[in-house]
Amino acid sequence: LPIDKGGRDASPASKERRKAYFEGKFVDTRVYDYYKLKADNVIEGPAIVEVRETTAVVRPEQECRVDEYGNMILRL
C-alpha cells in the first residue's frame, strides 16, 4: 500500500544525533524513525534509519529517497 506523501524534507522523522563510525573516524550522525518518513523524503548521509526489524545506514556520500511504498532507495 502507498504511504502518505511528503516533500523532500525528512526532518519531522528525525529523532536525535549520535556519533557513528565512518571511514576511520566518529561522525555526528542524524537518526531517523522509519515509521515517520513520508514518500519523497530525502535523507542525506551520514544517517541511520531505525526500523523495528533492522537498521539502515546511509553512508556519508549517499542519499536515501523514500518511494511511494516506503522503500528506501540509496544512491551515490
Coordinates of all heavy atoms in Angstrom, one line a residue:
L1 N 0.8 -1.2 0.0 CA 0.0 0.0 0.0 C 0.9 1.2 0.0 O 1.9 1.3 0.7 CB -0.9 0.0 1.2 CG -1.9 -1.1 1.3 CD1 -2.6 -1.0 2.7 CD2 -2.9 -1.0 0.2
P2 N 0.5 2.3 -0.7 CA 1.2 3.5 -0.7 C 1.2 4.2 0.7 O 0.2 4.0 1.4 CB 0.5 4.4 -1.7 CG -0.3 3.4 -2.6 CD -0.6 2.3 -1.7
I3 N 2.3 4.9 1.0 CA 2.4 5.7 2.2 C 2.0 7.1 1.9 O 1.9 7.5 0.8 CB 3.7 5.5 2.9 CG1 4.8 6.1 2.0 CG2 4.0 4.1 3.2 CD1 6.2 6.2 2.6
D4 N 1.8 7.9 3.0 CA 1.5 9.3 2.8 C 2.6 10.0 2.1 O 3.8 9.7 2.3 CB 1.3 10.0 4.2 CG 0.0 9.5 4.9 OD1 -0.9 9.0 4.2 OD2 0.0 9.7 6.1
K5 N 2.2 11.0 1.3 CA 3.2 11.8 0.5 C 3.7 12.9 1.4 O 2.9 13.6 2.1 CB 2.5 12.3 -0.7 CG 3.5 12.9 -1.7 CD 2.9 12.9 -3.1 CE 3.8 13.6 -4.1 NZ 5.0 12.9 -4.4
G6 N 4.9 13.2 1.3 CA 5.5 14.4 1.9 C 6.4 15.1 0.9 O 6.5 14.7 -0.3
G7 N 7.1 16.0 1.3 CA 8.1 16.7 0.5 C 9.5 16.1 0.7 O 9.7 15.1 1.3
R8 N 10.5 16.8 0.2 CA 11.9 16.4 0.3 C 12.3 16.4 1.8 O 13.1 15.5 2.2 CB 12.7 17.4 -0.5 CG 14.1 17.0 -0.6 CD 14.9 18.0 -1.5 NE 16.3 17.8 -1.4 CZ 17.0 16.8 -2.0 NH1 16.4 16.1 -2.9 NH2 18.3 16.7 -1.9
D9 N 11.8 17.2 2.6 CA 12.3 17.4 4.0 C 11.9 16.2 4.9 O 10.7 16.0 5.1 CB 11.7 18.7 4.5 CG 12.1 19.0 6.0 OD1 13.1 18.4 6.4 OD2 11.4 19.8 6.6
A10 N 12.9 15.5 5.4 CA 12.7 14.4 6.2 C 12.8 14.7 7.7 O 12.7 13.9 8.6 CB 13.6 13.3 5.9
S11 N 13.0 16.0 8.0 CA 13.3 16.4 9.4 C 12.2 16.0 10.4 O 12.5 15.7 11.6 CB 13.7 17.9 9.5 OG 12.6 18.7 9.1
P12 N 10.9 15.9 10.0 CA 9.9 15.5 11.0 C 10.2 14.1 11.5 O 9.7 13.7 12.6 CB 8.6 15.6 10.3 CG 8.8 16.7 9.3 CD 10.3 16.5 8.8
A13 N 10.9 13.3 10.8 CA 11.2 11.9 11.2 C 12.5 11.8 12.0 O 12.9 10.7 12.5 CB 11.3 11.0 10.0
S14 N 13.2 12.9 12.1 CA 14.5 12.9 12.9 C 14.2 12.7 14.3 O 13.4 13.4 14.9 CB 15.2 14.2 12.6 OG 16.4 14.3 13.3
K15 N 15.0 11.8 14.9 CA 14.9 11.5 16.4 C 16.0 12.2 17.2 O 15.7 12.7 18.3 CB 15.0 10.0 16.6 CG 13.9 9.2 16.0 CD 14.2 7.7 16.1 CE 14.4 7.2 17.5 NZ 14.5 5.8 17.6
E16 N 17.2 12.1 16.8 CA 18.3 12.5 17.6 C 19.6 12.5 16.7 O 19.5 12.2 15.5 CB 18.6 11.6 18.8 CG 18.9 10.2 18.3 CD 19.0 9.2 19.5 OE1 19.2 9.6 20.6 OE2 19.0 8.0 19.2
R17 N 20.7 12.9 17.3 CA 22.0 12.8 16.7 C 22.9 11.9 17.6 O 22.7 12.0 18.8 CB 22.7 14.1 16.5 CG 22.0 15.0 15.4 CD 22.8 16.3 15.3 NE 22.4 17.1 14.2 CZ 22.8 16.9 12.9 NH1 23.7 15.9 12.7 NH2 22.4 17.6 11.9
R18 N 23.7 11.1 17.0 CA 24.7 10.4 17.7 C 26.0 10.2 16.9 O 26.0 10.4 15.7 CB 24.1 9.1 18.2 CG 23.9 8.0 17.2 CD 23.5 6.7 17.8 NE 22.1 6.7 18.2 CZ 21.2 5.8 17.8 NH1 21.5 4.8 17.1 NH2 19.9 5.9 18.3
K19 N 27.0 9.8 17.6 CA 28.3 9.6 16.9 C 28.2 8.2 16.3 O 27.8 7.2 16.9 CB 29.5 9.7 17.8 CG 29.7 11.1 18.4 CD 30.2 12.0 17.4 CE 30.5 13.4 18.0 NZ 30.8 14.4 17.1
A20 N 28.6 8.1 15.0 CA 28.7 6.8 14.3 C 30.1 6.7 13.6 O 30.6 7.8 13.2 CB 27.6 6.6 13.3
Y21 N 30.6 5.5 13.5 CA 32.0 5.4 12.9 C 31.9 5.2 11.4 O 31.3 4.2 10.9 CB 32.6 4.2 13.6 CG 34.1 4.1 13.5 CD1 34.9 4.9 14.2 CD2 34.7 3.2 12.6 CE1 36.3 4.8 14.1 CE2 36.1 3.1 12.5 CZ 36.9 3.9 13.3 OH 38.2 3.8 13.2
F22 N 32.5 6.1 10.7 CA 32.6 6.0 9.2 C 34.0 6.3 8.8 O 34.6 7.3 9.2 CB 31.7 7.0 8.6 CG 30.2 6.8 8.7 CD1 29.4 7.4 9.6 CD2 29.6 5.8 7.9 CE1 28.1 7.2 9.8 CE2 28.2 5.6 8.0 CZ 27.5 6.2 8.9
E23 N 34.6 5.5 8.0 CA 35.9 5.7 7.3 C 36.9 6.2 8.3 O 37.6 7.2 8.1 CB 35.7 6.7 6.2 CG 34.7 6.2 5.1 CD 34.3 7.2 4.1 OE1 34.9 8.3 4.1 OE2 33.4 6.9 3.3
G24 N 37.1 5.5 9.4 CA 38.2 5.7 10.3 C 38.0 6.8 11.4 O 38.9 7.1 12.1
K25 N 36.7 7.3 11.5 CA 36.5 8.4 12.5 C 35.0 8.4 12.9 O 34.2 8.0 12.1 CB 37.0 9.7 12.0 CG 36.2 10.2 10.8 CD 36.7 11.5 10.2 CE 36.0 11.9 8.9 NZ 36.5 13.0 8.3
F26 N 34.8 9.0 14.0 CA 33.4 9.1 14.5 C 32.8 10.4 13.9 O 33.5 11.5 13.9 CB 33.4 9.2 16.0 CG 33.5 7.9 16.7 CD1 34.7 7.4 17.1 CD2 32.4 7.0 16.8 CE1 34.8 6.2 17.7 CE2 32.5 5.8 17.3 CZ 33.7 5.3 17.8
V27 N 31.6 10.3 13.4 CA 31.0 11.4 12.7 C 29.6 11.7 13.4 O 28.9 10.7 13.7 CB 30.8 11.1 11.2 CG1 30.1 12.2 10.5 CG2 32.1 10.8 10.5
D28 N 29.3 12.9 13.6 CA 28.0 13.3 14.1 C 26.9 12.9 13.0 O 27.0 13.3 11.9 CB 27.9 14.8 14.3 CG 26.6 15.3 15.0 OD1 26.2 14.6 16.0 OD2 26.0 16.3 14.6
T29 N 26.0 12.0 13.5 CA 25.1 11.4 12.5 C 23.6 11.5 13.0 O 23.3 11.3 14.1 CB 25.4 9.9 12.4 OG1 26.8 9.7 12.1 CG2 24.6 9.1 11.4
R30 N 22.8 11.9 12.1 CA 21.3 12.1 12.4 C 20.7 10.7 12.4 O 21.0 9.9 11.5 CB 20.7 13.0 11.4 CG 19.3 13.4 11.8 CD 18.8 14.5 10.9 NE 19.6 15.7 11.0 CZ 19.1 16.8 11.6 NH1 17.9 16.9 12.1 NH2 19.9 17.9 11.7
V31 N 19.7 10.5 13.3 CA 19.0 9.2 13.4 C 17.5 9.5 13.1 O 17.0 10.5 13.6 CB 19.1 8.6 14.8 CG1 18.3 7.3 14.9 CG2 20.6 8.4 15.2
Y32 N 16.9 8.7 12.2 CA 15.6 8.8 11.8 C 14.7 7.7 12.2 O 15.2 6.5 12.3 CB 15.5 9.0 10.2 CG 16.1 10.2 9.7 CD1 17.5 10.3 9.4 CD2 15.4 11.4 9.5 CE1 18.1 11.4 9.0 CE2 15.9 12.5 9.0 CZ 17.3 12.5 8.7 OH 17.8 13.7 8.3
D33 N 13.4 8.0 12.4 CA 12.4 6.9 12.7 C 11.7 6.6 11.4 O 11.0 7.4 10.8 CB 11.4 7.5 13.7 CG 10.3 6.5 14.0 OD1 10.1 5.5 13.3 OD2 9.6 6.8 15.0
Y34 N 12.0 5.4 10.9 CA 11.5 5.0 9.6 C 9.9 5.2 9.5 O 9.4 5.6 8.5 CB 11.8 3.5 9.4 CG 11.1 2.9 8.2 CD1 11.5 3.2 6.9 CD2 9.9 2.2 8.3 CE1 10.9 2.6 5.8 CE2 9.2 1.6 7.3 CZ 9.7 1.9 6.0 OH 9.0 1.4 4.9
Y35 N 9.2 4.9 10.6 CA 7.8 4.9 10.5 C 7.2 6.4 10.5 O 6.0 6.5 10.2 CB 7.2 4.2 11.8 CG 7.7 2.8 11.7 CD1 8.8 2.4 12.5 CD2 7.1 1.8 10.9 CE1 9.2 1.1 12.5 CE2 7.6 0.5 10.8 CZ 8.7 0.2 11.6 OH 9.2 -1.1 11.6
K36 N 8.0 7.4 10.6 CA 7.6 8.7 10.4 C 8.0 9.3 9.1 O 7.6 10.5 8.8 CB 8.2 9.6 11.5 CG 7.6 9.3 12.9 CD 8.1 10.2 14.0 CE 7.5 9.8 15.3 NZ 8.0 10.6 16.4
L37 N 8.7 8.6 8.3 CA 9.1 9.0 6.9 C 7.9 9.0 6.0 O 7.0 8.2 6.1 CB 10.2 8.1 6.4 CG 11.5 8.2 7.0 CD1 12.5 7.2 6.5 CD2 12.2 9.6 6.8
K38 N 7.9 9.9 5.0 CA 6.8 10.1 4.0 C 7.4 9.8 2.6 O 8.7 10.0 2.4 CB 6.2 11.5 4.1 CG 5.8 11.9 5.4 CD 4.5 11.2 5.8 CE 3.9 11.8 7.1 NZ 3.0 11.0 7.7
A39 N 6.6 9.5 1.7 CA 7.0 9.4 0.3 C 7.7 10.7 -0.2 O 7.2 11.8 0.1 CB 5.9 9.0 -0.6
D40 N 8.8 10.6 -0.9 CA 9.6 11.7 -1.4 C 10.5 12.3 -0.4 O 11.2 13.3 -0.8 CB 8.7 12.8 -2.1 CG 8.0 12.2 -3.3 OD1 8.5 11.3 -4.0 OD2 6.9 12.7 -3.6
N41 N 10.5 11.9 0.8 CA 11.5 12.4 1.8 C 12.9 12.0 1.3 O 13.1 10.9 0.7 CB 11.3 11.8 3.2 CG 10.2 12.4 4.0 OD1 9.9 12.0 5.1 ND2 9.6 13.5 3.5
V42 N 13.9 12.9 1.5 CA 15.3 12.6 1.1 C 16.1 12.8 2.4 O 16.0 13.7 3.1 CB 15.7 13.6 0.0 CG1 17.2 13.4 -0.3 CG2 14.9 13.3 -1.2
I43 N 17.0 11.8 2.6 CA 17.9 11.8 3.7 C 19.3 11.9 3.2 O 19.7 11.0 2.4 CB 17.7 10.6 4.6 CG1 16.3 10.5 5.2 CG2 18.8 10.5 5.7 CD1 16.0 9.3 5.9
E44 N 20.1 12.9 3.5 CA 21.5 13.0 3.1 C 22.3 12.3 4.2 O 22.1 12.4 5.4 CB 21.9 14.5 3.1 CG 21.1 15.3 2.1 CD 21.4 15.1 0.7 OE1 22.5 14.6 0.4 OE2 20.5 15.4 -0.2
G45 N 23.3 11.5 3.7 CA 24.2 10.8 4.6 C 25.2 11.7 5.2 O 25.4 12.8 4.7
P46 N 25.8 11.4 6.3 CA 25.6 10.2 7.1 C 24.3 10.2 7.9 O 23.9 11.2 8.4 CB 26.8 10.1 8.0 CG 27.1 11.5 8.3 CD 26.8 12.3 7.0
A47 N 23.6 9.0 7.9 CA 22.4 8.9 8.7 C 22.1 7.5 9.1 O 22.7 6.5 8.4 CB 21.2 9.5 7.9
I48 N 21.3 7.3 10.1 CA 20.9 6.0 10.5 C 19.3 6.0 10.5 O 18.8 7.0 11.0 CB 21.4 5.6 11.9 CG1 22.9 5.5 11.9 CG2 20.7 4.3 12.4 CD1 23.5 5.4 13.2
V49 N 18.7 5.0 9.9 CA 17.3 4.9 9.9 C 16.9 3.7 10.7 O 17.2 2.6 10.3 CB 16.7 4.8 8.4 CG1 15.2 4.8 8.5 CG2 17.2 6.0 7.6
E50 N 16.2 3.9 11.8 CA 15.8 2.8 12.7 C 14.5 2.3 12.3 O 13.5 3.0 12.2 CB 15.8 3.3 14.1 CG 17.2 3.6 14.6 CD 17.3 4.0 16.1 OE1 16.3 4.6 16.6 OE2 18.4 3.8 16.7
V51 N 14.4 1.0 12.1 CA 13.2 0.2 11.8 C 13.1 -0.9 12.9 O 14.1 -1.3 13.3 CB 13.3 -0.4 10.4 CG1 12.0 -1.0 10.0 CG2 13.7 0.6 9.4
R52 N 11.9 -1.3 13.3 CA 11.8 -2.3 14.3 C 12.6 -3.6 13.9 O 13.3 -4.1 14.8 CB 10.3 -2.7 14.5 CG 9.6 -1.9 15.5 CD 8.2 -2.3 15.5 NE 7.6 -1.6 14.4 CZ 6.4 -1.1 14.4 NH1 5.6 -1.2 15.3 NH2 6.0 -0.5 13.3
E53 N 12.6 -4.0 12.7 CA 13.2 -5.2 12.3 C 14.7 -5.1 11.9 O 15.4 -6.1 11.8 CB 12.5 -5.8 11.1 CG 11.0 -6.1 11.3 CD 10.1 -4.8 11.1 OE1 10.6 -3.8 10.7 OE2 8.9 -5.0 11.5
T54 N 15.2 -3.9 11.7 CA 16.5 -3.7 11.2 C 17.0 -2.3 11.4 O 16.2 -1.4 11.9 CB 16.6 -4.1 9.7 OG1 18.0 -4.2 9.3 CG2 15.9 -3.2 8.8
T55 N 18.1 -2.0 10.9 CA 18.6 -0.6 10.9 C 19.3 -0.4 9.5 O 20.0 -1.2 9.0 CB 19.7 -0.4 12.0 OG1 19.1 -0.6 13.3 CG2 20.3 1.0 12.0
A56 N 19.0 0.7 8.9 CA 19.6 1.1 7.6 C 20.6 2.2 7.8 O 20.4 3.1 8.6 CB 18.5 1.6 6.6
V57 N 21.7 2.0 7.2 CA 22.8 3.0 7.3 C 23.0 3.7 5.9 O 23.1 3.1 4.9 CB 24.1 2.3 7.7 CG1 25.3 3.3 7.7 CG2 24.0 1.6 9.0
V58 N 22.9 5.1 6.0 CA 23.2 5.9 4.8 C 24.6 6.5 5.0 O 24.8 7.3 5.9 CB 22.1 7.0 4.7 CG1 22.4 7.8 3.4 CG2 20.7 6.5 4.8
R59 N 25.5 6.0 4.2 CA 26.9 6.4 4.3 C 27.0 7.9 4.0 O 26.2 8.5 3.3 CB 27.8 5.6 3.4 CG 27.7 4.1 3.8 CD 28.6 3.2 3.0 NE 30.0 3.6 3.0 CZ 30.8 3.4 4.0 NH1 30.4 2.8 5.1 NH2 32.1 3.9 4.0
P60 N 28.1 8.5 4.4 CA 28.3 10.0 4.2 C 28.2 10.4 2.7 O 27.6 11.5 2.5 CB 29.7 10.2 4.7 CG 29.9 9.2 5.7 CD 29.2 8.0 5.2
E61 N 28.5 9.6 1.7 CA 28.5 10.0 0.3 C 27.1 9.6 -0.3 O 26.9 9.9 -1.5 CB 29.6 9.4 -0.4 CG 29.6 7.9 -0.6 CD 30.1 7.1 0.6 OE1 30.5 7.7 1.6 OE2 30.2 5.9 0.5
Q62 N 26.2 9.1 0.4 CA 25.0 8.6 -0.1 C 23.8 9.5 0.2 O 23.8 10.3 1.1 CB 24.6 7.2 0.4 CG 25.5 6.1 -0.1 CD 25.1 4.8 0.5 OE1 24.9 4.6 1.7 NE2 25.1 3.8 -0.4
E63 N 22.7 9.3 -0.6 CA 21.5 9.9 -0.4 C 20.4 8.8 -0.4 O 20.5 7.9 -1.2 CB 21.2 10.9 -1.5 CG 19.9 11.6 -1.5 CD 19.7 12.5 -2.7 OE1 20.1 13.6 -2.6 OE2 19.1 12.0 -3.7
C64 N 19.4 9.0 0.5 CA 18.3 8.0 0.5 C 17.0 8.7 0.2 O 16.7 9.7 0.8 CB 18.3 7.4 2.0 SG 16.9 6.4 2.3
R65 N 16.3 8.2 -0.7 CA 15.0 8.7 -1.1 C 13.9 7.7 -0.8 O 14.1 6.5 -1.1 CB 14.9 9.1 -2.6 CG 13.6 9.8 -2.9 CD 13.5 10.1 -4.4 NE 13.4 8.9 -5.2 CZ 12.3 8.2 -5.4 NH1 11.1 8.5 -4.8 NH2 12.3 7.1 -6.2
V66 N 12.8 8.1 -0.2 CA 11.7 7.2 0.2 C 10.7 7.2 -1.0 O 10.3 8.3 -1.4 CB 11.1 7.6 1.5 CG1 9.9 6.6 1.9 CG2 12.1 7.6 2.6
D67 N 10.4 6.0 -1.5 CA 9.4 6.0 -2.6 C 8.0 5.9 -2.0 O 7.8 5.9 -0.8 CB 9.7 4.9 -3.6 CG 9.4 3.5 -3.2 OD1 8.8 3.3 -2.1 OD2 9.8 2.6 -3.9
E68 N 7.0 5.8 -2.9 CA 5.6 5.8 -2.5 C 5.2 4.6 -1.7 O 4.1 4.6 -1.1 CB 4.7 6.0 -3.8 CG 4.9 4.8 -4.7 CD 4.3 5.0 -6.1 OE1 5.0 5.7 -6.9 OE2 3.2 4.6 -6.3
Y69 N 6.0 3.5 -1.7 CA 5.7 2.3 -1.0 C 6.5 2.2 0.3 O 6.5 1.1 0.9 CB 5.8 1.1 -1.9 CG 4.8 1.2 -3.0 CD1 5.2 1.5 -4.3 CD2 3.4 0.9 -2.8 CE1 4.2 1.6 -5.3 CE2 2.5 1.0 -3.8 CZ 2.9 1.3 -5.0 OH 2.0 1.4 -6.1
G70 N 7.3 3.2 0.6 CA 8.1 3.2 1.8 C 9.5 2.5 1.6 O 10.2 2.3 2.6
N71 N 9.8 2.2 0.4 CA 11.2 1.6 0.1 C 12.2 2.8 0.2 O 11.9 3.9 -0.2 CB 11.2 1.1 -1.3 CG 10.3 -0.1 -1.5 OD1 10.4 -1.1 -0.8 ND2 9.4 0.0 -2.5
M72 N 13.3 2.4 0.8 CA 14.4 3.4 0.9 C 15.4 3.1 -0.2 O 16.0 2.0 -0.3 CB 15.1 3.3 2.2 CG 14.2 3.7 3.4 SD 15.0 3.6 5.0 CE 15.2 1.8 5.2
I73 N 15.6 4.1 -1.1 CA 16.4 3.9 -2.3 C 17.7 4.7 -2.1 O 17.7 5.9 -2.0 CB 15.7 4.4 -3.6 CG1 14.4 3.5 -3.7 CG2 16.6 4.3 -4.8 CD1 13.4 4.1 -4.7
L74 N 18.8 4.0 -2.0 CA 20.1 4.6 -1.7 C 20.8 4.9 -3.0 O 20.9 4.1 -3.9 CB 21.0 3.7 -0.8 CG 20.4 3.4 0.5 CD1 21.2 2.3 1.2 CD2 20.4 4.7 1.4
R75 N 21.4 6.1 -3.1 CA 22.2 6.5 -4.3 C 23.5 7.2 -3.9 O 23.5 7.8 -2.8 CB 21.4 7.5 -5.1 CG 20.1 6.9 -5.6 CD 19.4 8.0 -6.4 NE 18.0 7.8 -6.3 CZ 17.1 8.3 -7.1 NH1 17.5 9.2 -7.9 NH2 15.9 8.0 -7.0
L76 N 24.4 7.1 -4.8 CA 25.7 7.9 -4.5 C 25.5 9.3 -5.0 O 24.7 9.6 -5.8 CB 26.8 7.3 -5.3 CG 27.3 6.0 -4.7 CD1 28.4 5.4 -5.6 CD2 27.8 6.2 -3.3

